[in-house]
Amino acid sequence: MNNKEYIERGRFAPSPTGRMHLGNVFSALLSWLSIKAQGGKWVLRIEDIDPQRSRMEYADLIMSDLEWLGLTWDEGPFYQSERGEIYEAELQKLADRGMTYPCYCTRADILATQAPHESDGRVVYKGTCRNLKPGTHSGPAAIRMRVPEEGEGIVSFVDGHYGEQTVDLTTQCGDFIVRRKDGAWAYQLAVVVDDALMGITEVVRGRDLLLSSPQQIYLAKELGFAPPRFTHLPLLCNTEGLRLSKRDRSLDMEALRSRFEAEDIIGLLAYKAGLQESPNRVTAEELVAGFDWKKIGCEDIILVEN
């Protein structure tokens, strides 16, 4: 691809499991601003691979909210639920190379034998089913991706906001799931395949997904893909210091749209991000020219409700 044809491509990939809240909007806004400041295209992908929680009405509401906020997309929406054959083909490539194996462990089994990693409650799978002989177990099984042996699974990358990151996949992540026990596609596989095939060059998302990046970089390379650049952003937190979630109903888009105009919300988020000196009303388009990641802090942002 020559330089004349090359264009930066970012994406926003929400899960339609509820109404967007202010934290989702914050990620969408910074993703949109970052790619637009580079003259690139913004792709909308609906990550509806969880059949038990995903709802089309939520996908429709997400798109309505994005349009109301002025965060319009250039391509999409693409629905992961329609891309199963693509994921199947990529998973088969890994299986053919012996990179995957069936795992029969329940979450309770793993929790009973493993200690949480660091302070986020993450549990590192130690490979209980990695070397099971065929026929040892029966019944539903998840499919896990093998990571290298300890000391050989070091992945380093430069995050666009938090700088140099180094992770040992073996000790900090463990063999991770690429297909769930119920047959649903796992996040890591679907995201890696879609980012590659959709030509995504930049991924902007919350810092709570920082540890997913080395897994995705490793998986992308094993599938022969060039991973995108990753840029993580600080989280919006409630007054208790907890990341905003869909449980914070007073800060979801249904409540916010009933109380504010789009420019009010964009202005507040731009102020909290450090993109403007006061929470003045502003459109997303008006922020593009002055966007700079250097203006944005690394500490999580406490949001006090009014």
Side-chain angles (χ1 to χ4, degrees), residues 86-258:
I86 297 172
Y87 307 144
E88 187 79 61
E90 296 301 326
L91 180 60
Q92 189 60 49
K93 293 177 184 178
L94 297 172
D96 290 344
R97 293 170 50 212
M99 297 294 295
T100 63
Y101 62 90
C103 174
Y104 300 90
C105 297
T106 65
R107 183 163 179 79
D109 293 335
I110 299 168
L111 287 173
T113 59
Q114 305 295 328
H117 173 67
E118 296 180 344
S119 60
D120 60 0
R122 182 181 296 271
V123 174
V124 178
Y125 186 72
K126 298 298 184 180
T128 304
C129 294
R130 182 184 258 233
N131 297 312
L132 286 179
K133 294 181 180 179
T136 304
H137 285 266
S138 60
I143 304 298
R144 288 188 182 269
M145 175 76 179
R146 296 177 186 269
V147 300
E149 299 298 328
E150 188 168 353
E152 299 177 1
I154 305 298
V155 175
S156 296
F157 68 100
V158 179
D159 183 77
H161 193 50
Y162 288 93
E164 185 73 29
Q165 306 290 318
T166 299
V167 171
D168 186 331
L169 290 175
T170 312
T171 60
Q172 292 180 262
C173 301
D175 296 341
F176 54 89
I177 292 176
V178 287
R179 192 164 195 175
R180 295 184 350 190
K181 190 175 292 188
D182 62 3
W185 295 104
Y187 167 75
Q188 305 292 21
L189 179 71
V191 164
V192 166
V193 171
D194 285 344
D195 283 346
L197 299 185
M198 294 177 186
I200 302 303
T201 59
E202 177 184 76
V203 171
V204 174
R205 58 191 183 189
R207 67 158 188 82
D208 54 321
L209 290 171
L210 253 173
L211 199 55
S212 282
S213 298
Q215 296 173 69
Q216 291 168 15
I217 290 169
Y218 169 66
L219 182 51
K221 290 180 177 179
E222 290 297 328
L223 286 169
F225 300 136
R229 301 187 311 276
F230 292 97
T231 300
H232 292 80
L233 48 95
L235 304 178
L236 287 190
C237 298
N238 60 27
T239 51
E240 297 176 349
L242 300 176
R243 176 173 62 90
L244 294 186
S245 70
K246 292 182 172 71
R247 292 185 298 272
D248 294 291
R249 295 300 300 277
S250 64
L251 295 174
D252 75 13
M253 285 302 295
E254 180 179 4
L256 293 171
R257 286 182 67 164
S258 71

